[in-house]
Amino acid sequence: MALDSVTLALPEVPAWLSKTRPRATRVERGTCQTTPKVPLSRLKLQPLSGSFTWEVRANDRNYHAQFRGKSAFCLSKRKYAGNAIRTAKYNVLTFLPLNLYEQFHRMANVYFVFVILLQAFPEISTLPWYTLLFPLSCLLAIRALRDLIDDIGRHQSDRNINSRPCEILSGQSFRWQKWRDICVGDIVRLRKESVVPADMLLLCSSEPSSLCYPRWLLLNRETNLKFRRALLVTHRELASEESMAAFDGRVTCEEPNSRMHSFTGTLRWRGETHALDSEQLLLRGCKLRNTDVCYGLVIYAGFDSKIMRNCGKIKRKKTKLDRMMDRLVITIFLVLLATSLCLAVASGFWAKTFQEKHSYLSAFYKHTTPAQQAFFSFWGFTILLSIIIPMSMYITFEFIYLVNSFFINWDLEMYYAAKDIPAKARSTSLNDQLGQIEYIFSDKTGTLTQNVMSFKKCCINGTIYACPCLLQGSALTWSHHGQQKMDFCDTRLLEAARRDSDPVLREFLRLLALCHTVMVEEKGGGLVYQAASPDEEALVLAARNLGYIFLSRTQDTITISELGMKRTYKVLAMLDFNSDRKRMSVLVRDPQGTIRLYTKGADTVILERLQRRGPSETFTEMALDRFAEETLRTLCLASKEVSEAEYGVWSRRHHEASVLLQDRARELDRLYDEMEQNLQLLGATAIEDKLQDGVPETIQLLKLSNIKVWVLTGDKQETAMNIGYACKLLTDDMEVLEEKKISEILGALWVSTSSLAGSGEPLCRSRRSQQRPEASQHKKRALVISGDFLDKLLHTGEVLKEKGRLGRGCCGAAGSREEAGLVEKAFVDLAASCQAVICCRVTPRQKALIVQLVKKHKKATTLAIGDGANDVNMIKTADIGVGISGLEGMQAVQCSDYALAQFSYLQRLLLIHGRWAYLRICKFLRCFFYKTFAGLMTQVWFAFHSGFTAQPLYEGWFLALYNIFYTAYPILSLGLLEQDVSAKKSLEFPELYVIGQQDELFNYRVFSITVLHGLSTSLVSFYIALWAFEDHVGSRAVGDYESFAVTVATSALLSVLMEIILDTKFWTLLSFLMVATSLLLFCLFSFLTQSIDAFRIAPAIFRFPDASRNALTDPYVLLVVLLSLVVNTIPSLTIRLYCTITGKNTTQQKICLKAKREPEPLVELRAHVLRGSFHHRSSYAFSHQEGYASLIPRGDSLRSRGTRSTVQHPDTAPALSPSPLSPMPSPSA
């Protein structure tokens, strides 16, 4: 076997054990290249470390079944998981206990159970215990039903996935079974368009060299094809079902992990050992494209697969208001106990004094001592005051959340008609938190972009062409079609291409048709292209539209149709693209025998390799700046003629470099660089990476709303940064901090921290003294970081060590944790000080880690939005998870709290629905607490005048109906319909959103003011009535206890309704009806519960016969009620008037006033917002991975009769002869 045809596949060092993952030494160029069978004596494989204990034996289920692993409670489970997955939380046995356990994490539910237990003792009970148990049961049932419905959806999804059909090798043949039947070690046959059911080692396929083309659309929504290639030995030997059944290879590899882009292991078979890496691994969830059949050995199944390892666990999410309410319940309960204790002590002293003063009544107290009186009074007051935290508030809470969720579902502005996808609130308990988001973490592909490239503009020989249009068939005679819609077509360019008089234009279009790695086949009368990236496809299609049609390729030739004339070029060498070179080239010999080099790449590397810089080159640079202004992805195109002598020398040196065993890649890159010199610039192309509609405008609005947007993507840095500029996340006036600068900043911080620690100062003090590095030197900064750098920074500190920033070792594990926390916090502080953050090449688990770090160190409310399975963990970790609905792959939606069809719908979801929900819930809470304290704290004041006997002031029916009917409906209307400004103004003035981020509408200060307001209302209502009732009031004797109770109740109720009326800003017909209904229900139930007939039937239940009729028909009592209402209302009116006159409005009020006065929006929503300057050109339009060009010269990816494609263009057929209407090629061609 020739050395120039060998790939030395050495075992790879795991990525997490080295700074950079070493690549397999590979022959980059040559006529043939294979993976060798290296004997053990020569290969000298490195011994596998302790983590490489995962052994898989093909076709041996019994071997895997014997291993058991440790589980919880000393139980054991199978080491090798089955392929069935279960993402649901409950089953039939665990639903009731687990759901109740979760619900009783709410302190309010514990509180209600405590009160019910107290009510079970007749000696201290004020109401039957079942009257409180029923509403609590309803509350628990409502929440349990909601959780059950959500979990049923998860069960259905799991059942659908586990029941998907697949072909598993059973005995000597393949049989159709279910996904759940797959076990580790099974051999599975996949067909075209199949979804990979488990992480599998590719054994062979129907493609040349057993190539396989999976698409990661279901994982990360990328439509780019990846390629995977089987080992040569399995490709050759496993050619039939019999050989598959006899296959007994053993794979030893790393334990199941979450690293999506790495895999290391070995295959031992027939006495030989072969190295394995990620190039042979098919991941669960990928979709097989352009491959008829392939066979794989299951390595990781079910929850051991890499994508499932990245999914994370389902977590119960609670809003900030929920957590605050838990703390408030505890606080109120402690205050209630303290109040009850004080009143009980007072009751004991009062009883002792009363018994001493009235000794003639000792017979009534001979069985009750003052201490016993105090004891029973304590529990009586505890029960009496327990209604300060009513269950009706939580039931109303759930109803408000549910209706506000319906408002989201019904919003036609968030309905995507193109795919018939409405917005959906999958969670009904997080709406108010939508109005408090501070950080948004977004995926890129499929979330911000459509991953569709469109050729928009080009500059050729000093002329810019750009004019999208629809041309008729007479203009496209070479394509033999009547009508064709093209993304790009300038009539001037089309005419120039038809005239074929400009040699620069001819070479430009020829380069687009020749310099690429696209595969093609003729199918159904059309050409079907397979592109490594959408950029490549867009360029080839642009050339096709202009008459230069890529027809076919072989191992060493490429055939195109130039204006109807078929021409075949011999491919002498393909100079592959990689992220360091930022360019690719093809060296060809044309039919006339001339050797030419065609090169395309980033402007930064092409312009410095030009032979000369004339006016045309200067104009092209200006055009590049113009394209960059519109954030288009640019490429420079250049070529040169190569002499036979120069090629002969270079070819010999290239062959010598190709067979080197050391420094091969470096030598090849040096040779490529020598060839790619003295180029002649042909022009530049501009490709638009199509964003979803409204993405730049949405990000602009979110920025104005003080929301920081971070992009977390698995894509490469250049592509992510280009999208950042396109969607206005990055601007030219930002300083972009990359890894080197970040290391320097954090290293300087570490030096100062280490010096403080070395001087004996506690680390916690150094943490307090941290300052954001260089925060004052730059107004706008952006941070761009990779997943590898993030892993080193947060887990090992390698970056700081490399920079020499770590002054000394840590003393003990505690010190290490402290220092790790300091590094984390320093990084988060630095990132938070930037206006934009882009994290590239991050794994799903790293996405979740970043979200967790921001939640931990910034105490911020976060939202994660994505559309693929790799976003699931991030969506589950964030406070709010939003899934983008699409045609394929619903994993993100199934795990999300809200589902949208477009990223731009975040505008309405956050700035309208979220802000309104926060406003409504906060007003609801304020009014509910106010009316509870205003109406029921009179019980405490009454205790001072009733001997502290815990006797209720009000009628029992008033206490039962006060929170349910008398005051509930106006507050319910407030929680459902309240608005401060309209939806249009909410978008025009995004500054309004800041109110929720700062917790202005409901916090401890607002709660304290609300409680004080309620206490003052109860004091006024009680003591004005008490003052009036000191003597007989009115013309009739109505100074009795029942009349006094009715007077206080009416005064408090009317004062509460008046305060709700004053606090309502958005009045509707329903608002008026709710207030009127409350008054009518008060009158109706007062008449029914206080009628003489009811008293005669059940005097123990209806104890206030005719009390309201006697009291409220007396004009003097009505005047007392009116006086209380006026005294309670005047302070509220006075404060509102004072704030209006002096201008001391809240932030919300000021912005609302501004919103109502401003007729025009401050934010102009445009399709393209121009960048301020041209300091940064948009990144080069090149997104496919390295290695495709090396497959073509070896013939690894070529069929004998053509190739396959991802995108079919049935309107394009090869033109084998020129059309009568098309011009003939010029002689110079």
Side-chain angles (χ1 to χ4, degrees):
M1 185 180 296
L3 286 176
D4 61 345
S5 64
V6 171
T7 297
L8 189 58
L10 296 176
E12 298 190 56
V13 180
W16 66 94
L17 295 179
S18 63
K19 291 182 290 187
T20 57
R21 182 182 177 186
R23 298 177 183 176
T25 307
R26 184 178 304 282
V27 176
E28 298 291 337
R29 306 291 174 264
T31 58
C32 181
Q33 181 175 1
T34 60
T35 303
K37 294 187 289 187
V38 184
L40 284 172
S41 59
R42 292 184 56 193
L43 188 60
K44 294 183 181 180
L45 287 170
Q46 299 174 356
L48 295 175
S49 63
S51 61
F52 290 81
T53 58
W54 192 262
E55 183 173 346
V56 178
R57 297 187 180 183
N59 296 316
D60 192 349
R61 287 191 175 188
N62 294 330
Y63 171 78
H64 304 111
Q66 66 182 335
F67 291 96
R68 312 293 293 181
K70 293 182 180 180
S71 183
F73 304 109
C74 298
L75 301 176
S76 63
K77 63 177 183 180
R78 295 170 56 186
K79 176 182 177 181
Y80 297 90
N83 201 47
I85 62 169
R86 188 178 68 86
T87 61
K89 294 174 61 177
Y90 313 111
N91 57 39
V92 176
L93 297 178
T94 62
F95 172 71
L96 189 59
L98 186 57
N99 188 264
L100 288 177
Y101 172 77
E102 291 175 346
Q103 292 214 50
F104 280 104
H105 273 67
R106 295 176 182 262
M107 293 307 302
N109 293 337
V110 178
Y111 170 76
F112 294 144
V113 170
F114 174 74
V115 173
I116 290 173
L117 292 177
L118 291 181
Q119 293 280 25
F121 297 95
E123 293 82 0
I124 58 176
S125 176
T126 57
L127 290 173
W129 61 271
Y130 51 82
T131 59
L132 294 177
L133 180 61
F134 177 73
L136 177 61
S137 301
C138 291
L139 179 62
L140 296 177
I142 290 172
R143 288 174 173 165
L145 182 62
R146 181 190 64 196
D147 294 339
L148 179 62
I149 293 173
D150 292 342
D151 209 55
I152 288 175
R154 297 189 191 100
H155 275 286
Q156 290 175 345
S157 174
D158 293 343
R159 190 159 47 249
N160 292 337
I161 292 175
N162 293 331
S163 299
R164 289 176 178 174
C166 63
E167 291 183 89
I168 305 174
L169 181 62
S170 179
Q172 298 296 318
S173 62
F174 285 90
R175 297 179 182 178
W176 284 100
Q177 298 184 54
K178 307 294 185 183
W179 274 26
R180 61 173 172 263
D181 301 321
I182 293 176
C183 295
V184 172
D186 287 351
I187 294 178
V188 179
R189 178 163 62 191
L190 300 176
R191 300 183 183 274
K192 187 177 180 181
E193 302 298 330
S194 298
V195 178
V196 180
D199 291 352
M200 303 193 311
L201 176 68
L202 179 62
L203 297 177
C204 63
S205 76
S206 58
E207 298 297 303
S209 299
S210 280
L211 284 174
C212 183
Y213 299 96
R215 189 167 68 162
W216 288 21
L217 182 62
L218 300 181
L219 297 181
N220 56 14
R221 310 294 292 165
E222 288 189 11
T223 56
N224 303 1
L225 285 184
K226 316 293 181 182
F227 75 88
R228 294 291 182 264
R229 179 170 48 187
L231 294 175
L232 179 62
V233 61
T234 58
H235 164 65
R236 289 177 173 175
E237 301 295 333
L238 302 180
S240 63
E241 293 188 8
E242 291 77 14
S243 60
M244 290 283 181
F247 179 62
D248 58 353
R250 298 184 182 183
V251 174
T252 304
C253 60
E254 57 199 22
E255 292 284 327
N257 58 71
S258 60
R259 294 179 289 275
M260 300 283 292
H261 303 291
S262 69
F263 174 74
T264 305
T266 59
L267 170 65
R268 291 183 175 87
W269 188 38
R270 295 179 177 176
E272 296 178 344
T273 302
H274 309 269
L276 302 175
D277 58 19
S278 58
E279 192 176 89
Q280 288 86 40
L281 192 67
L282 294 174
L283 297 183
R284 177 187 176 114
C286 295
K287 196 169 188 178
L288 200 64
R289 300 298 300 270
N290 309 107
T291 305
D292 290 336
V293 178
C294 77
Y295 299 86
L297 172 66
V298 176
I299 304 296
Y300 306 122
F303 283 106
D304 287 337
S305 61
K306 291 182 178 289
I307 187 61
M308 296 306 298
R309 286 268 172 164
N310 277 281
C311 283
K313 297 181 180 179
I314 299 175
K315 303 172 184 176
R316 176 173 290 275
K317 298 181 179 181
K318 298 180 69 174
T319 67
K320 292 171 70 174
L321 287 178
D322 267 341
R323 292 190 289 269
M324 183 180 177
M325 283 298 298
D326 284 343
R327 293 189 289 268
L328 286 179
V329 167
I330 296 174
T331 303
I332 293 172
F333 180 61
L334 293 177
V335 171
L336 184 151
L337 290 179
T339 303
S340 299
L341 180 61
C342 293
L343 293 175
V345 171
S347 174
F349 280 109
W350 185 89
K352 181 180 179 181
T353 304
F354 185 83
Q355 291 178 22
E356 291 175 352
K357 185 180 295 185
H358 304 282
S359 57
Y360 56 89
L361 297 177
S362 59
F364 291 98
Y365 298 99
K366 63 181 180 180
H367 299 296
T368 305
T369 64
Q372 291 175 328
Q373 178 72 19
F375 177 78
F376 288 117
S377 295
F378 171 77
W379 295 113
F381 279 118
T382 300
I383 295 173
L384 188 64
L385 298 178
S386 65
I387 55 176
I388 291 178
I389 308 176
M391 280 182 243
S392 60
M393 180 178 73
Y394 287 91
I395 296 175
T396 311
F397 236 12
E398 296 295 328
F399 184 74
I400 291 174
Y401 275 127
L402 181 64
V403 174
N404 278 304
S405 299
F406 286 153
F407 290 158
I408 294 175
N409 299 343
W410 296 337
D411 191 344
L412 292 179
E413 295 294 328
M414 294 197 295
Y415 171 70
Y416 191 50
K419 296 182 180 179
D420 189 27
I421 301 176
K424 182 173 179 59
R426 294 173 51 84
S427 174
T428 60
S429 59
L430 302 173
N431 297 333
D432 58 285
Q433 191 135 287
L434 289 173
Q436 298 179 283
I437 300 300
E438 298 171 73
Y439 288 84
I440 291 179
F441 301 91
S442 174
D443 182 37
K444 180 187 75 70
T445 305
T447 303
L448 299 178
T449 70
Q450 304 177 36
N451 203 37
V452 174
M453 306 299 175
S454 176
F455 193 100
K456 286 296 182 184
K457 298 182 180 181
C458 63
C459 176
I460 306 173
N461 200 19
T463 304
I464 295 178
Y465 300 97
C467 181
C469 62
L470 182 67
L471 297 181
Q472 301 300 320
S474 59
L476 298 174
T477 53
W478 49 77
S479 63
H480 297 283
H481 291 280
Q483 184 171 329
Q484 180 176 4
K485 185 177 181 180
M486 299 188 298
D487 292 327
F488 171 84
C489 182
D490 189 310
T491 53
R492 297 175 300 148
L493 179 60
L494 188 62
E495 291 299 324
R498 292 183 60 182
R499 288 194 302 267
D500 196 25
S501 59
D502 185 352
V504 176
L505 173 59
R506 186 186 311 119
E507 289 297 303
F508 181 93
L509 298 177
R510 190 174 286 160
L511 186 152
L512 293 182
L514 292 173
C515 186
H516 55 76
T517 59
V518 175
M519 305 296 178
V520 62
E521 77 171 330
E522 186 176 354
K523 184 177 181 180
L527 295 181
V528 182
Y529 290 139
Q530 172 189 297
S533 73
D535 303 74
E536 290 271 75
E537 184 190 8
L539 295 173
V540 173
L541 292 181
R544 181 209 67 180
N545 292 338
L546 294 168
Y548 286 70
I549 305 174
F550 169 48
L551 297 178
S552 64
R553 77 181 332 139
T554 64
Q555 185 173 334
D556 56 357
T557 65
I558 182 169
T559 302
I560 65 174
S561 171
E562 299 180 1
L563 301 177
M565 179 67 69
K566 185 177 179 181
R567 295 168 62 90
T568 299
Y569 293 80
K570 182 177 179 59
V571 178
L572 303 178
M574 295 193 73
L575 285 56
D576 199 2
F577 161 86
N578 64 40
S579 57
D580 295 325
R581 286 169 35 79
K582 300 185 179 180
R583 63 192 182 277
M584 78 162 291
S585 302
V586 59
L587 194 63
V588 300
R589 188 189 301 274
D590 65 18
Q592 285 74 34
T594 304
I595 301 175
R596 296 197 63 86
L597 176 75
Y598 293 103
T599 303
K600 64 181 179 182
D603 55 285
T604 54
V605 296
I606 298 296
L607 295 178
E608 65 185 14
R609 287 169 170 76
L610 298 181
Q611 184 179 20
R612 63 181 180 85
R613 302 291 288 272
S616 177
E617 287 74 13
T618 302
F619 185 85
T620 301
E621 288 194 65
M622 295 173 60
L624 287 169
D625 288 335
R626 180 172 172 181
F627 298 157
E629 178 185 352
E630 303 175 25
T631 64
L632 299 174
R633 297 158 66 97
T634 57
L635 272 176
C636 282
L637 277 60
S639 70
K640 76 171 185 179
E641 185 173 331
V642 181
S643 65
E644 289 287 349
E646 181 183 359
Y647 169 70
V649 174
W650 184 88
S651 176
R652 177 178 54 80
R653 294 174 59 199
H654 175 264
H655 176 75
E656 293 173 354
S658 298
V659 297
L660 291 177
L661 295 180
Q662 293 183 347
D663 298 328
R664 180 188 303 165
R666 185 170 61 184
E667 289 299 318
L668 287 173
D669 284 344
R670 186 172 61 83
L671 281 173
Y672 295 164
D673 188 64
E674 289 180 8
M675 176 60 69
E676 296 165 333
Q677 298 292 334
N678 300 319
L679 301 174
Q680 177 188 355
L681 185 66
L682 300 176
T685 62
I687 292 178
E688 179 187 22
D689 187 354
K690 288 188 176 180
L691 298 171
Q692 290 190 10
D693 295 335
V695 167
E697 296 80 13
T698 300
I699 290 181
Q700 187 178 8
L701 278 178
L702 295 175
K703 282 183 171 181
L704 293 175
S705 305
N706 196 36
I707 299 175
K708 294 187 176 181
V709 180
W710 293 18
V711 175
L712 312 181
T713 176
D715 215 333
K716 6 179 248 191
Q717 178 173 325
E718 294 85 356
T719 307
M721 288 185 66
N722 185 76
I723 294 300
Y725 282 112
C727 66
K728 311 308 170 189
L729 184 64
L730 301 179
T731 56
D732 279 336
D733 56 352
M734 286 183 178
E735 180 199 15
V736 178
L737 302 181
E738 298 192 22
E739 295 176 0
K740 182 178 179 181
K741 183 67 173 177
I742 296 169
S743 300
E744 294 174 355
I745 295 174
L746 296 181
L749 176 64
W750 186 265
V751 168
S752 62
T753 303
S754 298
S755 62
L756 289 172
S759 63
E761 184 175 354
L763 286 176
C764 58
R765 187 179 303 175
S766 67
R767 182 190 290 116
R768 290 195 299 267
S769 63
Q770 285 184 46
Q771 300 293 329
R772 287 182 180 174
E774 304 180 2
S776 60
Q777 298 182 16
H778 305 284
K779 291 184 178 180
K780 291 185 177 181
R781 296 189 300 187
L783 185 144
V784 179
I785 191 172
S786 70
D788 290 339
F789 182 85
L790 181 70
D791 191 55
K792 295 176 185 178
L793 180 68
L794 299 182
H795 295 287
T796 65
E798 289 181 12
V799 174
L800 300 182
K801 291 178 184 177
E802 291 168 6
K803 296 293 181 181
R805 305 302 187 185
L806 291 175
R808 61 185 186 87
C810 302
C811 299
S816 299
R817 286 193 298 269
E818 186 75 12
E819 291 174 352
L822 284 176
V823 174
E824 286 182 1
K825 189 175 188 306
F827 167 71
V828 173
D829 287 342
L830 175 63
S833 68
C834 299
Q835 279 64 43
V837 175
I838 296 178
C839 300
C840 317
R841 307 301 292 175
V842 289
T843 64
R845 180 157 291 188
Q846 285 176 323
K847 291 183 179 184
L849 173 64
I850 294 171
V851 176
Q852 188 63 43
L853 287 177
V854 173
K855 292 173 63 177
K856 174 182 175 182
H857 293 290
K858 305 306 293 183
K859 309 299 182 187
T861 306
T862 58
L863 181 147
I865 180 170
D867 67 324
N870 64 335
D871 302 315
V872 167
N873 205 353
M874 173 177 71
I875 287 173
K876 290 179 179 179
T877 304
D879 296 299
I880 299 290
V882 178
I884 299 294
S885 303
L887 295 180
E888 297 184 69
M890 297 294 288
Q891 292 95 328
V893 170
Q894 290 166 356
C895 297
S896 66
D897 305 305
Y898 298 89
L900 303 176
Q902 295 280 291
F903 179 86
S904 59
Y905 295 162
L906 276 181
Q907 295 182 42
R908 295 186 64 84
L909 184 67
L910 300 184
L911 304 187
I912 297 177
H913 293 285
R915 201 179 61 80
W916 279 353
Y918 173 72
L919 170 72
R920 291 163 180 168
I921 292 296
C922 289
K923 280 200 170 186
F924 168 80
L925 288 174
R926 288 207 317 263
C927 291
F928 211 106
F929 279 119
Y930 166 73
K931 63 103 171 177
T932 301
F933 281 91
L936 303 179
M937 283 304 291
T938 52
Q939 305 276 7
V940 177
W941 318 135
F942 181 65
F944 286 92
H945 302 275
S946 63
F948 302 100
T949 57
Q951 177 185 351
L953 167 64
Y954 300 129
E955 177 194 13
W957 286 103
F958 181 84
L959 289 175
L961 300 176
Y962 178 77
N963 283 318
I964 299 177
F965 292 110
Y966 298 163
T967 56
Y969 296 118
I971 298 179
L972 178 62
S973 172
L974 204 66
L976 294 178
L977 304 174
E978 179 66 358
Q979 300 177 17
D980 50 357
V981 296
S982 65
K984 181 181 178 182
K985 293 294 184 182
S986 295
L987 294 178
E988 292 175 0
F989 294 89
E991 301 93 339
L992 285 167
Y993 194 81
V994 179
I995 299 160
Q997 295 173 334
Q998 299 175 353
D999 300 324
E1000 288 190 11
L1001 298 187
F1002 194 79
N1003 49 47
Y1004 292 108
R1005 184 184 66 84
V1006 172
F1007 173 74
S1008 302
I1009 293 174
T1010 301
V1011 170
L1012 291 176
H1013 188 192
L1015 291 176
S1016 65
T1017 300
S1018 66
L1019 279 169
V1020 169
S1021 301
F1022 180 82
Y1023 279 103
I1024 286 182
L1026 182 64
W1027 165 74
F1029 274 75
E1030 284 183 351
D1031 297 318
H1032 292 305
V1033 178
S1035 57
R1036 293 175 298 202
V1038 292
D1040 57 293
Y1041 158 67
E1042 289 86 355
S1043 299
F1044 174 75
V1046 169
T1047 304
V1048 175
T1050 306
S1051 301
L1053 175 62
L1054 294 179
S1055 298
V1056 166
L1057 292 178
M1058 180 58 69
E1059 185 64 28
I1060 295 173
I1061 290 171
L1062 293 176
D1063 209 26
T1064 302
K1065 304 300 180 186
F1066 184 71
W1067 282 92
T1068 63
L1069 178 61
L1070 183 63
S1071 305
F1072 287 104
L1073 290 177
M1074 290 295 189
V1075 174
T1077 300
S1078 294
L1079 292 173
L1080 290 175
L1081 288 176
F1082 173 67
C1083 297
L1084 176 61
F1085 282 110
S1086 295
F1087 172 76
L1088 293 177
T1089 60
Q1090 297 176 9
S1091 67
I1092 295 293
D1093 295 333
F1095 175 74
R1096 289 171 180 168
I1097 295 171
I1101 299 177
F1102 304 99
R1103 299 179 178 180
F1104 277 50
D1106 274 349
S1108 293
R1109 186 173 63 85
N1110 290 334
L1112 298 181
T1113 55
D1114 191 295
Y1116 293 97
V1117 174
L1118 294 178
L1119 286 175
V1120 172
V1121 173
L1122 180 61
L1123 177 62
S1124 298
L1125 177 62
V1126 171
V1127 173
N1128 282 323
T1129 306
I1130 284 178
S1132 295
L1133 290 175
T1134 303
I1135 293 174
R1136 286 177 169 84
L1137 182 62
Y1138 173 76
C1139 292
T1140 302
I1141 293 175
T1142 60
K1144 294 183 179 180
N1145 296 320
T1146 64
T1147 305
Q1148 178 195 19
Q1149 291 168 338
K1150 290 178 181 178
I1151 298 177
C1152 288
L1153 288 174
K1154 181 181 178 182
K1156 292 175 180 177
R1157 293 168 184 167
E1158 285 283 348
E1160 296 296 331
L1162 296 179
V1163 181
E1164 181 181 1
L1165 303 182
R1166 298 185 293 171
H1168 293 283
V1169 184
L1170 299 181
R1171 284 158 60 181
S1173 65
F1174 312 136
H1175 297 159
H1176 298 280
R1177 291 195 183 125
S1178 54
S1179 66
Y1180 58 93
F1182 233 81
S1183 60
H1184 68 80
Q1185 68 189 81
E1186 180 182 4
Y1188 271 83
S1190 65
L1191 300 177
I1192 296 171
R1194 301 195 305 268
D1196 287 350
S1197 58
L1198 302 177
R1199 292 175 178 266
S1200 59
R1201 55 181 181 83
T1203 58
R1204 297 185 178 271
S1205 166
T1206 56
V1207 180
Q1208 180 177 355
H1209 303 280
D1211 53 342
T1212 306
L1216 302 180
S1217 61
S1219 168
L1221 298 178
S1222 60
M1224 294 296 293
S1226 63
S1228 61

